[in-house]
Amino acid sequence: MMRFDRFVEEALYGPQGFYTQGGQAGETAGDFITSPETSTLFGGCVAAYLDQVWQELDRPDPFIVIEAGSGRGTLCRDIFLSVQECSSALRYVMVERSEVQRSHAFDIVAATCFLEAEEAPLTTVKDLPVGPFTGVVLANELLDNLPPRVVQKTRTGWSELYVNNGREEWQHAPQNAQNMASLLVPNAPLGTCLPLHLKAAVWVNRALNLLDRGRVLLFDYGLQQTKDFVERPSGEWIRTYSEHHRAGNPYTEAGSRDITCDVAFDQLPGSPKIVAQRDWLLSQGLHAMTEWAREKWYDAAAAPDSEALGARAVLEEAAALTDREGLGAFLVAEWQVGE
Ligand SMILES: C[S@@+](CC[C@H](N)C(=O)[O-])C[C@H]1O[C@@H](n2cnc3c(N)ncnc32)[C@H](O)[C@@H]1O
């Protein structure tokens, strides 16, 4: 019998784990789609943000950008292809737990963005490096893959989820989990299930402590308040994916699928500014970045040539990134450090 978070940790990152074996984001070979895999416009907006933060920090050189959970390196590639003002100061660190993805990502970014791999101001590591740095720590869809503990309200307090031979088993929760759940949602109705994001909170603390000055910027799906999980069954916010499909029960065939959990952002430390991804992308100039495509498509829509069809594809990507029912509803949390 294993506590839920330990079971998921093993199922994702153990020797036979889903990510250890090469599970990844991506449209064709991947298991799920993420914003960087949806469109290069996402990396374009993050690059615009990095240029702006570099100016706000008085142009530090080096300007360290640490991307955690960097996966296939797609976001890193698009950032290097789009940054302007900060490009000569930029030193990029991809932090990725999966060895398969780490080496693949380095090769892709170095080959696409630089003439010589040795000249790429880029490195890949398995865990967050040691600071302090001036710069930005960012991550897309990392927190949802840091396994939470899961508790349920009962008549006698809170019980905690374990996995026993492929089945759920609930045990009386230890006092620290009881206290945390009661503080987060006092008077929760019987049967309420909640995630407790201890790992995500520890990770964010580490990220904040890495910087002497700068920003932490995290994109993920979830809800602003833990109390908003009340009346949502856990099967709605703990999900599994494989080859672009929901993959059913998370408790069997460990390693065969991604296991992910909506993030309760109020459990993260500090007081980040939180906005919807749609609003964040628009604030970074997404609309202006796609102006050329709108003009091209409207001019040629009656008899579109291949360029016009390309422009329409760009507009569709922008629409997917800002969809209020999809990626646009993801949350973006930003912490400022040292100012
Ligand atoms: C959902 S994927 C997102 C990949 C990429 N950011 C994207 O948007 O396409 C999460 C990634 O985080 C990695 N990961 C999980 N825990 C990590 C950790 N503590 N440090 C670094 N990477 C981690 C996983 O191996 C996986 O590649």
Side-chain angles (χ1 to χ4, degrees), residues 13-138:
Y13 311 112
Q16 304 303 319
F18 173 78
Y19 283 111
T20 313
Q21 299 296 319
Q24 59 178 351
E27 197 149 15
T28 42
D31 294 280
F32 48 84
I33 193 86
T34 57
S35 298
E37 301 294 338
T38 299
S39 175
T40 57
L41 291 165
F42 185 77
C45 288
V46 179
Y49 170 84
L50 293 175
D51 276 334
Q52 179 195 317
V53 170
W54 184 65
Q55 296 288 358
E56 287 168 9
L57 295 173
D58 293 329
R59 306 173 173 215
D61 190 354
F63 178 48
I64 309 289
V65 172
I66 298 171
E67 185 199 347
S70 45
R72 292 154 41 104
T74 307
L75 177 58
C76 173
R77 179 200 67 193
D78 294 341
I79 287 173
F80 271 118
L81 293 176
S82 298
V83 276
Q84 293 177 16
E85 285 105 329
C86 73
S87 70
S88 62
L90 178 59
R91 304 286 178 277
Y92 205 102
V93 184
M94 287 195 275
V95 183
E96 171 53 58
R97 211 169 159 179
S98 150
E99 192 179 340
V100 186
Q101 300 209 50
R102 244 183 358 255
S103 61
H104 172 81
F106 182 88
D107 293 346
I108 291 283
V109 179
T112 315
C113 308
F114 301 96
L115 289 176
E116 301 289 342
E118 299 78 52
E119 286 171 13
L122 169 68
T123 184
T124 57
V125 289
K126 187 176 178 184
D127 194 11
L128 288 173
V130 177
F133 300 114
T134 301
V136 175
V137 181
L138 58 92

Side-chain angles (χ1 to χ4, degrees), residues 124-253:
T124 57
V125 289
K126 187 176 178 184
D127 194 11
L128 288 173
V130 177
F133 300 114
T134 301
V136 175
V137 181
L138 58 92
N140 185 62
E141 294 196 27
L142 170 72
L143 300 179
D144 65 89
N145 268 150
L146 302 181
R149 292 169 68 173
V150 176
V151 291
Q152 183 173 37
K153 184 74 185 279
T154 66
R155 289 184 197 289
T156 54
W158 293 86
S159 56
E160 177 154 17
L161 178 57
Y162 284 73
V163 181
N164 191 358
N165 273 330
R167 301 167 78 103
E168 289 188 355
E169 190 163 314
W170 296 89
Q171 303 247 332
H172 189 69
Q175 198 57 46
N176 59 357
Q178 302 266 349
N179 295 347
M180 184 173 173
S182 301
L183 267 174
L184 286 164
V185 187
N187 309 319
L190 272 186
T192 296
C193 270
L194 302 176
L196 301 181
H197 296 291
L198 288 112
K199 279 199 172 133
V202 167
W203 188 90
V204 171
N205 249 328
R206 289 182 67 202
L208 291 167
N209 287 327
L210 265 186
L211 298 173
D212 55 10
R213 284 189 314 133
R215 311 276 185 273
V216 174
L217 183 74
L218 304 179
F219 301 83
D220 225 310
Y221 40 82
L223 301 168
Q224 299 226 20
Q225 304 285 335
T226 309
K227 66 176 166 52
D228 298 333
F229 282 73
V230 171
E231 290 179 13
R232 291 181 73 210
S234 59
E236 242 180 55
W237 44 265
I238 298 171
R239 292 182 294 276
T240 57
Y241 291 94
S242 174
E243 296 176 353
H244 296 284
H245 294 291
R246 292 284 285 272
N249 178 353
Y251 309 120
T252 56
E253 297 170 57

